[in-house]
Tab-separated table of all heavy atoms in Angstrom:
chain	number	residue	atom	x	y	z
A	23	THR	N	0.846	-1.197	0.000
A	23	THR	CA	0.000	0.000	0.000
A	23	THR	C	0.877	1.240	0.000
A	23	THR	O	1.639	1.469	0.939
A	23	THR	CB	-0.902	0.021	1.247
A	23	THR	OG1	-1.657	-1.194	1.296
A	23	THR	CG2	-1.854	1.204	1.196
A	24	PRO	N	0.800	2.055	-1.063
A	24	PRO	CA	1.663	3.238	-1.125
A	24	PRO	C	1.172	4.332	-0.184
A	24	PRO	O	0.010	4.328	0.242
A	24	PRO	CB	1.523	3.689	-2.578
A	24	PRO	CG	0.130	3.281	-2.948
A	24	PRO	CD	-0.111	1.975	-2.225
A	25	SER	N	2.057	5.258	0.151
A	25	SER	CA	1.645	6.444	0.898
A	25	SER	C	0.752	7.300	0.001
A	25	SER	O	0.781	7.180	-1.237
A	25	SER	CB	2.865	7.253	1.329
A	25	SER	OG	3.520	7.804	0.188
A	26	ILE	N	-0.030	8.160	0.605
A	26	ILE	CA	-0.873	9.075	-0.169
A	26	ILE	C	0.006	9.928	-1.077
A	26	ILE	O	-0.310	10.140	-2.258
A	26	ILE	CB	-1.709	9.964	0.777
A	26	ILE	CG1	-2.740	9.106	1.515
A	26	ILE	CG2	-2.406	11.084	0.002
A	26	ILE	CD1	-3.470	9.823	2.633
A	27	GLN	N	1.135	10.401	-0.555
A	27	GLN	CA	2.036	11.242	-1.348
A	27	GLN	C	2.632	10.469	-2.522
A	27	GLN	O	2.699	10.976	-3.647
A	27	GLN	CB	3.166	11.784	-0.460
A	27	GLN	CG	4.081	12.760	-1.205
A	27	GLN	CD	5.368	13.041	-0.442
A	27	GLN	OE1	5.965	12.146	0.138
A	27	GLN	NE2	5.794	14.296	-0.454
A	28	GLY	N	3.063	9.232	-2.262
A	28	GLY	CA	3.672	8.439	-3.329
A	28	GLY	C	2.688	8.127	-4.438
A	28	GLY	O	3.027	8.195	-5.625
A	29	LYS	N	1.462	7.793	-4.061
A	29	LYS	CA	0.428	7.472	-5.048
A	29	LYS	C	0.078	8.712	-5.865
A	29	LYS	O	-0.045	8.642	-7.097
A	29	LYS	CB	-0.806	6.920	-4.339
A	29	LYS	CG	-1.898	6.391	-5.262
A	29	LYS	CD	-2.952	5.646	-4.436
A	29	LYS	CE	-3.975	4.977	-5.345
A	29	LYS	NZ	-4.920	5.931	-5.931
A	30	ARG	N	-0.067	9.835	-5.192
A	30	ARG	CA	-0.424	11.083	-5.875
A	30	ARG	C	0.671	11.496	-6.860
A	30	ARG	O	0.386	11.873	-8.005
A	30	ARG	CB	-0.636	12.192	-4.833
A	30	ARG	CG	-1.084	13.520	-5.415
A	30	ARG	CD	-2.533	13.473	-5.782
A	30	ARG	NE	-3.033	14.784	-6.146
A	30	ARG	CZ	-3.875	14.986	-7.145
A	30	ARG	NH1	-4.292	13.978	-7.875
A	30	ARG	NH2	-4.322	16.190	-7.421
A	31	LEU	N	1.914	11.440	-6.425
A	31	LEU	CA	3.027	11.804	-7.298
A	31	LEU	C	3.075	10.912	-8.529
A	31	LEU	O	3.254	11.388	-9.655
A	31	LEU	CB	4.350	11.693	-6.525
A	31	LEU	CG	5.620	11.943	-7.329
A	31	LEU	CD1	5.702	13.385	-7.810
A	31	LEU	CD2	6.857	11.574	-6.504
A	32	SER	N	2.888	9.625	-8.321
A	32	SER	CA	2.904	8.680	-9.435
A	32	SER	C	1.781	8.974	-10.429
A	32	SER	O	1.993	8.995	-11.646
A	32	SER	CB	2.782	7.246	-8.910
A	32	SER	OG	2.749	6.325	-9.968
A	33	GLU	N	0.593	9.233	-9.902
A	33	GLU	CA	-0.560	9.496	-10.767
A	33	GLU	C	-0.378	10.785	-11.569
A	33	GLU	O	-0.690	10.823	-12.773
A	33	GLU	CB	-1.836	9.577	-9.926
A	33	GLU	CG	-2.282	8.233	-9.374
A	33	GLU	CD	-3.432	8.335	-8.392
A	33	GLU	OE1	-3.765	9.466	-7.943
A	33	GLU	OE2	-4.016	7.287	-8.060
A	34	ILE	N	0.102	11.828	-10.918
A	34	ILE	CA	0.292	13.105	-11.615
A	34	ILE	C	1.374	12.968	-12.693
A	34	ILE	O	1.254	13.529	-13.789
A	34	ILE	CB	0.665	14.221	-10.620
A	34	ILE	CG1	-0.509	14.503	-9.662
A	34	ILE	CG2	1.092	15.501	-11.346
A	34	ILE	CD1	-1.794	14.925	-10.351
A	35	THR	N	2.422	12.202	-12.404
A	35	THR	CA	3.483	12.001	-13.388
A	35	THR	C	2.953	11.254	-14.607
A	35	THR	O	3.263	11.607	-15.756
A	35	THR	CB	4.665	11.234	-12.753
A	35	THR	OG1	5.107	11.941	-11.591
A	35	THR	CG2	5.820	11.123	-13.729
A	36	GLN	N	2.121	10.234	-14.379
A	36	GLN	CA	1.520	9.519	-15.498
A	36	GLN	C	0.587	10.446	-16.291
A	36	GLN	O	0.589	10.417	-17.532
A	36	GLN	CB	0.748	8.297	-15.015
A	36	GLN	CG	0.191	7.461	-16.180
A	36	GLN	CD	-0.575	6.242	-15.702
A	36	GLN	OE1	-1.244	6.291	-14.668
A	36	GLN	NE2	-0.483	5.159	-16.444
A	37	GLU	N	-0.163	11.275	-15.588
A	37	GLU	CA	-1.049	12.215	-16.280
A	37	GLU	C	-0.241	13.194	-17.139
A	37	GLU	O	-0.686	13.574	-18.228
A	37	GLU	CB	-1.904	12.983	-15.269
A	37	GLU	CG	-3.041	12.170	-14.680
A	37	GLU	CD	-3.861	12.972	-13.675
A	37	GLU	OE1	-4.106	14.170	-13.930
A	37	GLU	OE2	-4.249	12.404	-12.632
A	38	SER	N	0.927	13.593	-16.648
A	38	SER	CA	1.761	14.514	-17.438
A	38	SER	C	2.255	13.840	-18.708
A	38	SER	O	2.341	14.473	-19.765
A	38	SER	CB	2.940	15.035	-16.605
A	38	SER	OG	3.967	14.087	-16.455
A	39	LEU	N	2.567	12.544	-18.619
A	39	LEU	CA	2.968	11.793	-19.817
A	39	LEU	C	1.803	11.697	-20.798
A	39	LEU	O	1.961	11.948	-22.006
A	39	LEU	CB	3.439	10.397	-19.423
A	39	LEU	CG	3.704	9.424	-20.582
A	39	LEU	CD1	4.801	9.938	-21.502
A	39	LEU	CD2	4.047	8.032	-20.057
A	40	TYR	N	0.631	11.344	-20.302
A	40	TYR	CA	-0.544	11.221	-21.180
A	40	TYR	C	-0.878	12.561	-21.848
A	40	TYR	O	-1.212	12.606	-23.039
A	40	TYR	CB	-1.746	10.728	-20.376
A	40	TYR	CG	-1.747	9.248	-20.042
A	40	TYR	CD1	-2.754	8.705	-19.258
A	40	TYR	CD2	-0.743	8.390	-20.498
A	40	TYR	CE1	-2.786	7.349	-18.948
A	40	TYR	CE2	-0.765	7.037	-20.192
A	40	TYR	CZ	-1.780	6.522	-19.421
A	40	TYR	OH	-1.814	5.179	-19.116
A	41	LEU	N	-0.796	13.627	-21.084
A	41	LEU	CA	-1.044	14.973	-21.618
A	41	LEU	C	-0.106	15.243	-22.797
A	41	LEU	O	-0.521	15.755	-23.848
A	41	LEU	CB	-0.817	15.993	-20.512
A	41	LEU	CG	-0.871	17.474	-20.870
A	41	LEU	CD1	-2.303	17.956	-20.886
A	41	LEU	CD2	-0.056	18.305	-19.877
A	42	ALA	N	1.163	14.891	-22.619
A	42	ALA	CA	2.161	15.115	-23.667
A	42	ALA	C	1.902	14.240	-24.891
A	42	ALA	O	1.975	14.710	-26.032
A	42	ALA	CB	3.561	14.850	-23.110
A	43	ILE	N	1.594	12.973	-24.643
A	43	ILE	CA	1.359	12.050	-25.762
A	43	ILE	C	0.207	12.540	-26.632
A	43	ILE	O	0.270	12.487	-27.871
A	43	ILE	CB	1.069	10.630	-25.233
A	43	ILE	CG1	2.346	10.009	-24.638
A	43	ILE	CG2	0.521	9.729	-26.348
A	43	ILE	CD1	2.122	8.690	-23.924
A	44	LYS	N	-0.848	13.047	-25.989
A	44	LYS	CA	-2.026	13.496	-26.739
A	44	LYS	C	-1.732	14.709	-27.620
A	44	LYS	O	-2.498	15.015	-28.533
A	44	LYS	CB	-3.169	13.815	-25.765
A	44	LYS	CG	-3.765	12.566	-25.128
A	44	LYS	CD	-4.767	12.912	-24.026
A	44	LYS	CE	-5.297	11.654	-23.356
A	44	LYS	NZ	-6.170	11.953	-22.200
A	45	MET	N	-0.601	15.387	-27.370
A	45	MET	CA	-0.221	16.546	-28.187
A	45	MET	C	0.549	16.151	-29.444
A	45	MET	O	0.671	16.946	-30.374
A	45	MET	CB	0.666	17.486	-27.363
A	45	MET	CG	-0.017	18.134	-26.190
A	45	MET	SD	1.148	19.068	-25.178
A	45	MET	CE	1.663	20.359	-26.331
A	46	VAL	N	1.096	14.930	-29.456
A	46	VAL	CA	2.033	14.543	-30.514
A	46	VAL	C	1.334	14.388	-31.857
A	46	VAL	O	0.380	13.623	-31.999
A	46	VAL	CB	2.761	13.236	-30.130
A	46	VAL	CG1	3.618	12.736	-31.292
A	46	VAL	CG2	3.620	13.440	-28.885
A	47	LYS	N	1.812	15.135	-32.832
A	47	LYS	CA	1.368	15.034	-34.216
A	47	LYS	C	2.333	15.861	-35.060
A	47	LYS	O	3.079	16.691	-34.532
A	47	LYS	CB	-0.067	15.549	-34.384
A	47	LYS	CG	-0.255	17.026	-34.062
A	47	LYS	CD	-1.703	17.452	-34.294
A	47	LYS	CE	-1.888	18.938	-33.981
A	47	LYS	NZ	-3.273	19.376	-34.231
A	48	PRO	N	2.354	15.650	-36.384
A	48	PRO	CA	3.248	16.446	-37.225
A	48	PRO	C	2.975	17.942	-37.060
A	48	PRO	O	1.825	18.366	-36.939
A	48	PRO	CB	2.892	15.975	-38.640
A	48	PRO	CG	2.384	14.582	-38.457
A	48	PRO	CD	1.636	14.611	-37.156
A	49	GLY	N	4.055	18.717	-37.003
A	49	GLY	CA	3.940	20.170	-36.900
A	49	GLY	C	4.082	20.715	-35.492
A	49	GLY	O	4.370	21.902	-35.310
A	50	VAL	N	3.871	19.853	-34.491
A	50	VAL	CA	4.054	20.282	-33.101
A	50	VAL	C	5.547	20.382	-32.811
A	50	VAL	O	6.350	19.616	-33.337
A	50	VAL	CB	3.366	19.288	-32.140
A	50	VAL	CG1	3.756	19.536	-30.695
A	50	VAL	CG2	1.856	19.362	-32.294
A	51	ARG	N	5.931	21.336	-31.976
A	51	ARG	CA	7.341	21.477	-31.602
A	51	ARG	C	7.608	20.800	-30.252
A	51	ARG	O	6.730	20.764	-29.385
A	51	ARG	CB	7.721	22.961	-31.514
A	51	ARG	CG	7.807	23.646	-32.867
A	51	ARG	CD	8.201	25.100	-32.700
A	51	ARG	NE	8.415	25.753	-33.978
A	51	ARG	CZ	9.582	25.786	-34.629
A	51	ARG	NH1	10.646	25.202	-34.102
A	51	ARG	NH2	9.692	26.393	-35.794
A	52	LEU	N	8.818	20.334	-30.091
A	52	LEU	CA	9.176	19.681	-28.836
A	52	LEU	C	9.056	20.637	-27.645
A	52	LEU	O	8.725	20.214	-26.540
A	52	LEU	CB	10.591	19.097	-28.915
A	52	LEU	CG	10.712	17.824	-29.763
A	52	LEU	CD1	12.168	17.399	-29.875
A	52	LEU	CD2	9.877	16.692	-29.176
């Protein structure tokens, strides 16, 4: 069972990856 902080950090980091992936398409800049 993770700590509340550890779980939250992990979830937000995954959300940041998903947010970035959804932006990827030709013409977008890094």
